[in-house]
Amino acid sequence: MDSMTQAALGAAIGGAVLGRRLGRKAILIGAVLGTLPDLDVALDYGDAVANVTEHRGFSHSLFVLTGLATLLALLCAWLAPTKAISLPHWWCFFALILITHPLLDALTTYGTQLLWPFDLTPAAWPIIFIIDPLYTLPLLFALGVALISQRVRKACTWGLAITSVYLVMSAGAKLVVEQRLAPALAEQGLEEAPLLIQPTPFNIVLWRATVIDGDRYYESLIGVFDGDRQPRFEPLIRNAALEDVALASHQGRRLNWFAGPFLRYETRLLDGKETLIATDIRLGFPGFHPFSFTLATLEGERWEPLAVSEQLDNTRGIQLETLSRLAARAAGNTSALCASDFVPPEWRAERVVYRC
């Protein structure tokens, strides 16, 4: 999640746990500690793929953060001038603030290495977009009430309760989407294909499904308010034949570990050289994928892996018109937006399963 949300979550937890004893200080400490794990973005590993895939790594490890919480609790229990706060209370304060950060991150698509240093696939159970005002605003409102009224614990508890209900509602919405999608997948023979279902930007009522099928992948938008409308699959090209070339490089293998099969490959002429590029199609929105990386260049008739990958600056901001169409589609207007409306023509497959 974005830093503001993580700071608000940490502040609300701090106020709920020790607001009665520390007052506003609990909110301030919680806000600072709530953003602490994301300081790893300042680290430069010297390679674009490494910078992306190492993020949410050691600093988001449950082992590391639990150990840090224990050290902070012991330090405060020893140095604190008052004995009114016991060691267990200090530990709950620090542990809940720190550990909820990666747990919330794991509810987004990016992937969080909860069990670092074990080299496991990053955890991702996406039920919320990386920025969701409907999750963040109740926390900010509750913190405002806490700071003004000084009823810190009660206000923060209410904020956390509301946002927790929102996450439960999001999980329920995803379950509805999964049930609607299952018959359509079975009809296309894709029930065993790799599948990713995630909310579209800034809401939990319109969901994006991405299905991998060899050289092709399918995009579909399914809304909670779509009624009995059958999901439409829009076929796009992955260029899977280039995957072996990508896997010849360390960066390509790292991306495969990070994103699994949800990668699209292409070649472009960059600086006079034919260059292999991999795009993480999980992140962003079709046509607005911000994570594309150079992996290899064609030298004569051989692909040579790059020593250092670069992230391409091919992002474009989502325009107001796009957001308006997204909102209309979320409201149930199935003609307002298709999943692949903004992708380049060369991404589209020839055969269309359903037309919008």
Side-chain angles (χ1 to χ4, degrees):
M1 296 293 288
D2 62 284
S3 296
M4 178 182 293
T5 301
Q6 293 289 10
L9 177 62
I13 291 174
V17 176
L18 285 184
R20 181 176 298 173
R21 294 170 180 175
L22 294 181
R24 295 171 178 171
K25 292 181 181 178
I27 292 178
L28 177 60
I29 296 171
V32 172
L33 290 179
T35 60
L36 184 63
D38 277 342
L39 293 181
D40 67 333
V41 297
L43 299 177
D44 185 3
Y45 293 90
D47 181 89
V49 169
N51 287 339
V52 168
T53 59
E54 294 290 350
H55 177 48
R56 296 193 184 178
F58 76 92
S59 67
H60 288 60
S61 168
L62 297 180
F63 302 121
V64 172
L65 294 178
T66 300
L68 178 59
T70 302
L71 290 176
L72 291 174
L74 290 171
L75 186 62
C76 286
W78 179 45
L79 295 178
T82 175
K83 300 298 182 181
I85 303 176
S86 65
L87 176 60
H89 276 91
W90 278 121
W91 188 86
C92 287
F93 177 74
F94 290 118
L96 288 174
I97 292 172
L98 291 171
I99 290 176
T100 52
H101 179 120
L103 291 179
L104 180 60
D105 276 348
L107 299 182
T108 66
T109 305
Y110 191 95
T112 307
Q113 299 176 52
L114 296 177
L115 300 180
W116 184 95
F118 297 104
D119 194 27
L120 303 175
T121 302
W125 307 294
I127 61 170
I128 189 170
F129 193 69
I130 193 170
I131 300 174
D132 192 330
L134 291 179
Y135 180 87
T136 307
L137 289 177
L139 289 174
L140 294 177
F141 180 78
L143 292 172
V145 172
L147 293 173
I148 294 173
S149 67
Q150 298 187 2
R151 302 178 68 177
V152 175
R153 185 178 183 184
K154 184 175 182 179
C156 289
T157 301
W158 270 106
L160 292 171
I162 293 171
T163 52
S164 296
V165 169
Y166 184 75
L167 291 178
V168 172
M169 291 172 58
S170 182
K174 184 174 184 178
L175 181 61
V176 169
V177 168
E178 289 175 344
Q179 292 175 342
R180 289 182 181 173
L181 192 60
L185 290 172
E187 181 180 337
Q188 299 299 324
L190 297 172
E191 59 267 38
E192 300 298 329
L195 169 67
L196 175 65
I197 302 174
Q198 59 179 311
T200 55
F202 320 131
N203 76 98
I204 61 170
V205 296
L206 181 63
W207 295 71
R208 171 191 169 205
T210 306
V211 190
I212 304 299
D213 184 26
D215 190 50
R216 294 186 176 188
Y217 70 99
Y218 300 91
E219 293 280 1
S220 182
L221 294 177
I222 306 99
V224 173
F225 302 121
D226 283 357
D228 296 330
R229 172 186 176 273
Q230 186 179 18
R232 297 171 177 172
F233 294 96
E234 302 167 58
L236 302 172
I237 299 173
R238 282 185 65 225
N239 292 322
L242 295 170
E243 187 173 35
D244 288 340
V245 179
L247 293 177
S249 68
H250 169 73
Q251 294 94 333
R253 292 190 295 273
R254 181 73 179 178
L255 275 179
N256 186 69
W257 168 82
F258 182 66
F262 296 94
L263 291 168
R264 184 187 186 275
Y265 303 97
E266 62 182 307
T267 60
R268 297 184 203 169
L269 193 64
L270 299 177
D271 298 327
K273 290 188 176 182
E274 197 72 16
T275 305
L276 174 64
I277 297 164
T279 298
D280 189 337
I281 58 176
R282 302 172 306 154
L283 307 177
F285 190 76
F288 302 93
H289 295 300
F291 294 102
S292 293
F293 305 93
T294 60
L295 297 180
T297 56
L298 188 62
E299 307 291 343
E301 297 182 356
R302 290 174 54 86
W303 285 101
E304 294 294 337
L306 292 171
V308 177
S309 66
E310 295 182 3
Q311 184 173 350
L312 299 181
D313 186 17
N314 61 356
T315 59
R316 53 196 178 103
I318 298 180
Q319 304 297 318
L320 183 61
E321 178 187 359
T322 306
L323 292 177
S324 177
R325 293 174 64 185
L326 189 66
R329 180 64 185 82
N333 183 355
T334 58
S335 63
L337 180 67
C338 291
S340 62
D341 274 0
F342 306 103
V343 301
E346 61 269 20
W347 287 40
R348 300 175 186 271
E350 295 179 1
R351 182 175 64 87
V352 177
V353 179
Y354 293 103
R355 292 189 181 274
C356 294

